[in-house]
Amino acid sequence: VVLAGGRMSNDAQVVVSADDEGEVPTGASSVGTSEIGKLAVWSVTSAKPGNGVDLLRDDSLETYWQSDGAQPHLVNIQFQKKVRLHELAVYADYKLDESYTPAKISVRAGNSFHDLREIKVVDLEEPKGWVRFPLTSHAGGGGEV
């Protein structure tokens, strides 16, 4: 199961949480994964007018979320049921966004905002395109998020 978000600006922390026990949605692709971001509620800690959270999921690489205010800048992704995430994908383009491109992404997971633990930190160096990183503890394993 893959979680994908569009263009982000500034350093971002992605927070993934689930409320209830549940199963991974069926309908996985032939390689055993499917994008499940549409099953979650997405929110951000801040956004500049006209560059809100909806632009992370609008299927356009021309639009983007841009944070506003003090860091850290958080993207919160909350599922109603527990899910197993294998991979997170984020689109970033340093040439378009320059100083607004995230340099580091911290992924935290838990059952609620109160028990989140950091499971992954990714440093980005002038990224161009989709940056994909596994969230599993070992290659080929079931999602550990």
Side-chain angles (χ1 to χ4, degrees):
V1 178
V2 177
L3 190 60
R7 283 178 52 204
M8 290 191 207
S9 69
N10 297 327
D11 284 355
Q13 297 180 15
V14 178
V15 177
V16 180
S17 63
D19 291 325
D20 305 308
E21 286 293 332
E23 296 297 319
V24 176
T26 58
S29 69
S30 61
V31 295
T33 62
S34 62
E35 201 283 333
I36 64 165
K38 64 185 172 284
L39 301 176
V41 174
W42 292 62
S43 61
V44 294
T45 52
S46 68
K48 290 201 174 185
N51 294 94
V53 67
D54 54 320
L55 299 181
L56 279 173
R57 300 286 301 161
D58 70 352
D59 291 329
S60 173
L61 298 180
E62 303 299 315
T63 60
Y64 53 92
W65 161 62
Q66 186 172 1
S67 58
D68 191 19
Q71 292 188 15
H73 306 298
L74 303 177
V75 177
N76 300 303
I77 306 164
Q78 190 166 10
F79 293 91
Q80 287 189 348
K81 298 183 179 193
K82 284 190 179 182
V83 295
R84 289 182 181 226
L85 297 177
H86 294 266
E87 180 178 84
L88 179 65
V90 175
Y91 188 89
D93 190 334
Y94 182 79
K95 289 188 178 190
L96 287 177
D97 303 328
E98 294 182 1
S99 66
Y100 293 104
T101 304
K104 180 183 288 191
I105 295 177
S106 168
V107 181
R108 298 174 187 169
N111 291 317
S112 71
F113 291 112
H114 305 292
D115 72 347
L116 296 174
R117 62 182 173 85
E118 188 169 77
I119 60 165
K120 187 83 165 186
V121 175
V122 178
D123 291 311
L124 302 177
E125 191 171 320
E126 297 187 13
K128 168 76 172 123
W130 285 100
V131 179
R132 301 167 99 69
F133 44 95
L135 299 177
T136 56
S137 59
H138 59 281
E144 302 298 327
V145 175

